[in-house]
């Protein structure tokens, strides 16, 4: 059996239809590559493509897209709500059928090497393909974004993995990586102020937030008094009044009492758990394997908690939705629905439908079609625009 991969490249253009179409053509004309979806966002000013294929066709599709993006997109003119570092901003490879993470890493590195050479462009490896642990997280690779590249690119710890270590004002740089199948899942709020979406995002993301004294009761956690800090001999829990005498005690307390991995949250926040003194006490978020931020979608008049669900075996869209719903209700905010960015494997949606049916104690065997209907309604996927199952889902 052949190995099947998914490629989910994002370009920094979400408004100019001519450029978007030319990039889509570059992918679609690659022999063996199946372009499943082209998903432009005006507010983010970026477009997400979903491509399926074997290793050879994925490699060629990525190269064709890099070449076209280099030709047509000029980063000097780019602005948008989403973090980005270059014209072809990110290019992740996902192992699907018969393919392992190692296969995806090899493929990603080959693509990165070729973009570096053939397009003479700076390339960073991230995710499972990273050669340096500090480049595993995309947010770290994109730190400072395009605007800081000129200043940063020649610094020893920011040197590209492939291509020239010099600033390319038109193209910027590209992050090529390998990762698990992830879901970009945005929950819509009825709040006008983006502060609510940001506050909820910090509550749910695995990395969490600095803990505060919760003596004031205001809808926004970020307004609840000063930040708590760890001091030698006093390590406050971010979630209750407990104060450990060592960080180990507080980590054990957090695991037993709140069922959260404080050590991991500290690491994700860049705090060394062996030397946390002086750092803000951490309040880990409630969802594992989740990144989140809050933003506004002016073109739709809504604010969103925008999440990346990094491991669907650990965090499902249903669980993410229900967690955000509780946090929103606590703040007097209503969740009106959600959107899935890009495409989703059909079995992810049927699982969501069955999750909601189980919550109702409905044990009757639901067909896949019935489960999908339940999922679409439960998540409110028709809130901003009609969710077309046949266009948004794929099977492989
Ligand atoms: Zn506690």
């Amino acid at each position: 059996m052949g190995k099947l991969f998914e490629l989910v490249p994002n370009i920094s253009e979400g408004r100019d239809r001519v450029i978007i179409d030319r990039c889509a053509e570059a992918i679609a004309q690659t022999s063996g590559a199946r372009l499943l979806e082209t998903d432009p966002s005006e507010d983010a000013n970026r477009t997400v493509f979903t491509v399926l294929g074997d290793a050879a066709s994925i490699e060629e599709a990525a190269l064709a897209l890099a070449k076209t993006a280099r030709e047509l997109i000029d980063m000097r003119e780019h602005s948008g709500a989403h973090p980005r570092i270059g014209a072809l901003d990110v290019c992740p490879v996902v192992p699907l059928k018969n393919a392992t993470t190692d296969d995806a890493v090899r493929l990603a590195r080959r693509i990165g090497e070729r973009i570096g050479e053939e397009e003479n462009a700076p390339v960073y490896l991230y995710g499972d393909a990273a050669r340096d642990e500090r480049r595993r997280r995309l947010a770290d690779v994109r730190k400072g974004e395009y605007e800081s590249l000129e200043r940063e690119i020649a610094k020893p710890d920011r040197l590209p993995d492939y291509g020239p270590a010099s600033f390319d004002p038109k193209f910027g740089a590209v992050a090529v990586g390998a990762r698990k199948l992830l879901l970009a899942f945005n929950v819509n709020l009825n709040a006008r102020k983006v502060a609510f979406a940001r506050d909820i995002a910090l509550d749910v993301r695995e990395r969490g937030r600095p803990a505060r004294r919760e003596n004031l009761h205001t809808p926004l956690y970020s307004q609840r008094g000063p930040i708590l800090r760890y001091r030698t001999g006093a390590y406050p829990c971010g979630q209750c009044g407990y104060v450990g005498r060592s960080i180990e005690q507080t980590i054990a307390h957090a695991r037993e009492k709140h069922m959260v991995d404080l050590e991991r949250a500290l690491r994700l926040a860049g705090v060394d758990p062996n030397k946390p003194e002086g750092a803000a006490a951490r309040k880990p978020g409630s969802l594992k394997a989740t990144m989140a931020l809050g933003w506004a979608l002016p073109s739709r008049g809504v604010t969103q908690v925008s999440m990346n669900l990094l491991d669907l075996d650990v965090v499902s869209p249903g669980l993410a939705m229900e967690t955000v719903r509780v946090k929103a209700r606590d703040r007097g905010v209503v969740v009106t629905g959600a959107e899935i960015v890009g495409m989703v494997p059909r079995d992810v949606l049927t699982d969501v439908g069955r999750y909601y049916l189980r919550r109702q104690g409905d044990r009757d065997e639901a067909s896949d079609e019935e489960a999908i209907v339940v999922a679409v309604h439960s998540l409110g996927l028709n809130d901003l625009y009609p969710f077309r199952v046949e266009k948004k889902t794929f099977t492989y």
Side-chain angles (χ1 to χ4, degrees):
M1 285 289 278
K3 293 178 179 179
L4 186 72
F5 298 88
E6 183 190 29
L7 185 74
V8 197
N10 295 203
I11 56 165
S12 292
E13 177 57 70
R15 296 169 188 163
D16 186 327
R17 204 60 235 193
V18 175
I19 295 179
I20 296 168
D21 288 347
R22 289 271 305 275
C23 288
E25 276 164 31
I27 297 169
Q29 285 168 1
T30 305
S31 160
R34 196 173 139 211
L35 175 61
L36 291 180
E37 198 202 23
T38 301
D39 191 8
S41 157
E42 267 194 33
D43 294 303
N45 195 11
R46 75 197 269 116
T47 299
V48 180
F49 301 99
T50 308
V51 191
L52 293 190
D54 61 13
S57 50
I58 288 292
E59 183 177 332
E60 293 312 320
L63 265 294
L65 177 62
K67 187 172 167 36
T68 309
R70 180 178 229 349
E71 230 171 82
L72 301 180
I73 299 172
D74 190 339
M75 286 305 288
R76 285 169 290 200
E77 290 160 21
H78 185 270
S79 68
H82 196 287
R84 77 282 182 273
I85 198 170
L88 171 58
D89 187 52
V90 293
C91 198
V93 176
V94 179
L96 291 181
K97 206 155 58 181
N98 302 321
T100 63
T101 296
D102 285 346
D103 294 328
V105 166
R106 270 193 297 276
L107 178 53
R109 288 181 178 168
R110 201 155 55 233
I111 289 170
E113 188 175 6
R114 282 190 59 194
I115 293 178
E117 279 175 18
E118 295 173 28
E119 297 305 322
N120 194 36
V123 177
Y124 293 100
L125 294 173
Y126 80 98
D128 293 323
R131 287 220 165 82
D132 182 332
E133 227 14 63
R134 288 167 301 176
R135 292 189 178 177
R136 185 167 272 273
R137 292 179 56 226
L138 185 55
D140 291 331
V141 171
R142 268 199 308 227
K143 195 147 107 199
E145 297 190 41
Y146 166 79
E147 282 71 16
S148 76
L149 255 189
E150 181 168 21
R151 204 171 58 236
E152 297 277 321
I153 196 164
K155 291 188 180 166
D157 60 338
R158 295 298 297 272
L159 292 177
D161 290 282
Y162 301 111
S166 56
F167 182 55
D168 184 330
K170 184 160 181 255
F171 186 79
V174 51
V176 180
R179 59 161 170 79
K180 282 192 172 202
L181 186 77
L182 71 69
L183 197 68
F185 182 61
N186 300 336
V187 176
N188 312 326
L189 307 180
N190 74 337
R192 287 192 309 146
K193 288 189 175 151
V194 73
F196 287 100
R198 292 197 176 127
D199 210 51
I200 293 168
L202 297 193
D203 257 12
V204 301
R205 67 178 188 178
E206 184 169 33
R207 179 181 170 182
R209 69 193 314 163
R212 292 173 186 273
R213 263 183 247 286
E214 290 191 62
N215 48 0
L216 292 168
H217 207 84
T218 78
L220 294 175
Y221 184 87
S222 55
Q223 293 173 355
R224 287 179 197 172
I227 290 176
L228 289 172
R229 292 190 182 275
Y230 299 125
R231 288 182 293 110
T232 306
Y235 301 84
C237 169
Q239 275 150 302
C240 70
Y242 176 87
V243 180
R245 270 168 295 148
S246 66
I247 191 70
E248 289 77 18
Q249 274 188 353
T250 304
I251 287 171
H253 160 87
R255 187 167 45 236
E256 283 151 29
K257 185 82 193 294
H258 309 292
M259 287 176 295
V260 292
D261 190 341
L262 174 60
E263 186 175 349
R264 187 168 160 75
L266 285 169
R267 285 190 201 283
L268 287 171
V271 176
D272 181 356
N274 301 310
K275 248 187 77 201
E277 291 75 19
R282 203 83 201 153
K283 184 175 185 288
S286 26
L287 293 174
K288 292 187 172 48
T290 300
M291 299 193 297
L293 52 85
W295 65 23
L297 278 188
S299 72
R300 299 276 170 179
V302 301
T303 50
Q304 287 185 324
V305 180
S306 171
M307 290 180 277
N308 272 341
L309 310 181
L310 304 176
D311 185 344
L312 296 176
D313 295 331
V314 172
V315 57
S316 73
L319 178 63
M321 180 56 142
E322 293 316 303
T323 304
V324 170
R325 236 193 263 282
V326 169
K327 305 287 184 190
R329 194 186 303 132
D330 289 347
R331 292 165 168 88
V333 170
V334 174
V335 167
T336 60
E339 63 173 344
I340 288 173
V341 182
M343 294 189 75
V344 58
R346 195 166 294 222
D347 54 5
V348 171
L349 268 198
T350 55
D351 285 351
V352 169
R354 297 208 163 90
Y355 162 84
Y356 280 104
L357 291 172
R358 264 200 315 278
R359 284 165 61 101
Q360 300 160 16
D362 182 344
R363 306 274 165 201
D364 295 346
E365 208 38 53
S367 70
D368 286 358
E369 287 69 26
E370 288 168 327
I372 285 176
V373 170
V374 171
V376 170
H377 281 296
S378 307
L379 300 179
L381 295 178
N382 288 310
D383 186 29
L384 296 183
Y385 40 78
F387 182 86
R388 306 254 298 277
V389 175
E390 67 283 2
K391 289 215 143 165
K392 290 291 283 184
T393 64
F394 67 95
T395 49
Y396 56 83

